[in-house]
Amino acid sequence: MPPKIVFFDIDDTLYLKHERRIPASTRDALHQLNARGIITAIATGRTPAVLPEPIRRLMDDTGMEMLVAVNGQYVEYRGRPLAQFAMPPVQAEAVSGSLKAHGISHGFVSAERISVAAADEPLHRSLGDLAIPYEADSGHVGREPVYQMLAFYPESRDAEIAALLPPQLKTVRWHPQGVDIIERAGSKARGIRAALNALGLEMADAMAFGDGLNDREMLEAVGFGVAMGNALAELKAVARHVCPAAAEDGIARGLRELGLID
């Protein structure tokens, strides 16, 4: 049976981040899914405030109404909040203090913005690679929900920084200099469950495409998980199917290989 809904990661899945574009074949493929009655949706690590403009246009053009954002910590449906999993302010403050004491630049993610407590070269490099805007504001906590934190340091400091975090939190690396800090129970899969509940659907009804470490739980939880050809080997190992790379019309070719479009 074909899926009833397909969730797509953004960066290097739908969107070629270094080229700042969406392949024309991807746009056509999503229109074909819609024509066949298959819902299309986004599942991203980004917060709504920093969606690339081409993605916003794609969502409008193809009628995407479901947005699983901030690695499943914040879900919108038809432009309104559907599910929210915020960090306790006292926890965010404590983590910020520990990172600051160890000279680690870091930030806070809400639905409206990314705020950073301090900026340095690892931060500029990480957020700059994805053209992600941010504000310098160390007073974010307590004023707005913090759905996750960001920290900027090389992999060589992974063990050191992990030891600073409370057991309820985990890190997920998305850049050689950047990680997400979220609840250990948090993932795109959790956000997708909330999205499917609102639509009256089950995990078995869903398919998902992704390429990064933050896509692993999603690909394992849905009925059929697809890894991009440019995905990390760890993700390909848990996928049900590996399609061509995003830059090689991977979305369209993958959907065609699976018999979902012409």
Side-chain angles (χ1 to χ4, degrees):
M1 293 291 293
K4 296 179 180 178
I5 185 169
V6 184
F7 290 88
F8 297 94
D9 172 51
I10 290 179
D11 293 291
D12 290 331
T13 298
L14 282 179
Y15 178 66
L16 306 180
K17 66 175 184 281
H18 293 300
E19 300 178 33
R20 309 287 194 255
R21 70 177 181 90
I22 298 169
S25 63
T26 297
R27 189 179 303 275
D28 178 67
L30 267 58
H31 278 298
Q32 288 195 53
L33 289 178
N34 292 339
R36 296 186 176 194
I38 298 173
I39 302 168
T40 55
I42 296 285
T44 179
R46 290 178 181 253
T47 189
V50 300
L51 295 182
E53 188 56 35
I55 290 293
R56 293 186 184 279
R57 293 196 298 269
L58 179 72
M59 292 176 71
D60 289 341
D61 185 40
T62 59
M64 283 190 184
E65 299 181 314
M66 186 67 75
L67 172 64
V68 176
V70 201
N71 290 314
Q73 302 296 100
Y74 178 83
V75 183
E76 279 188 357
Y77 182 50
R78 295 178 174 171
R80 301 176 66 88
L82 175 66
Q84 303 173 68
F85 305 97
M87 297 174 66
V90 64
Q91 185 179 72
E93 288 278 20
V95 172
S96 177
S98 295
L99 295 174
K100 190 178 300 182
H102 285 75
I104 301 296
S105 59
H106 56 282
F108 311 95
V109 181
S110 71
E112 292 77 22
R113 64 187 55 84
I114 294 175
S115 302
V116 301
D120 59 7
E121 181 57 28
L123 183 149
H124 291 310
R125 195 178 313 160
S126 301
L127 296 182
D129 277 355
L130 275 70
I132 293 177
Y134 60 89
E135 303 174 6
D137 181 4
S138 58
H140 185 127
V141 180
R143 192 173 62 242
E144 298 175 22
V146 175
Y147 296 113
Q148 73 173 26
M149 293 180 65
L150 305 173
F152 305 94
Y153 55 87
E155 294 180 50
S156 59
R157 299 190 69 177
D158 278 351
E160 172 195 355
I161 305 307
L164 302 177
L165 301 180
Q168 302 94 332
L169 299 179
K170 64 181 177 181
T171 62
V172 181
R173 184 164 289 280
W174 51 271
H175 187 276
Q177 298 289 336
V179 302
D180 297 323
I181 300 176
I182 63 174
E183 289 182 335
R184 192 162 293 279
S187 69
K188 291 184 182 183
R190 180 166 70 173
I192 286 174
R193 286 190 186 94
L196 295 177
N197 285 341
L199 298 174
L201 299 177
E202 305 289 338
M203 276 293 192
D205 297 321
M207 176 181 287
F209 284 71
D211 74 294
L213 292 177
N214 63 339
D215 296 315
R216 177 168 183 156
E217 293 92 342
M218 172 175 77
L219 263 58
E220 290 178 319
V222 298
F224 199 94
V226 182
M228 306 304 295
N230 49 281
L232 299 172
E234 181 178 339
L235 194 69
K236 291 178 180 178
V238 302
R240 295 278 299 277
H241 182 75
V242 178
C243 68
E248 299 169 356
D249 298 315
I251 294 294
R253 292 170 63 189
L255 290 169
R256 197 170 295 118
E257 289 167 357
L258 295 170
L260 296 182
I261 64 171
D262 295 328

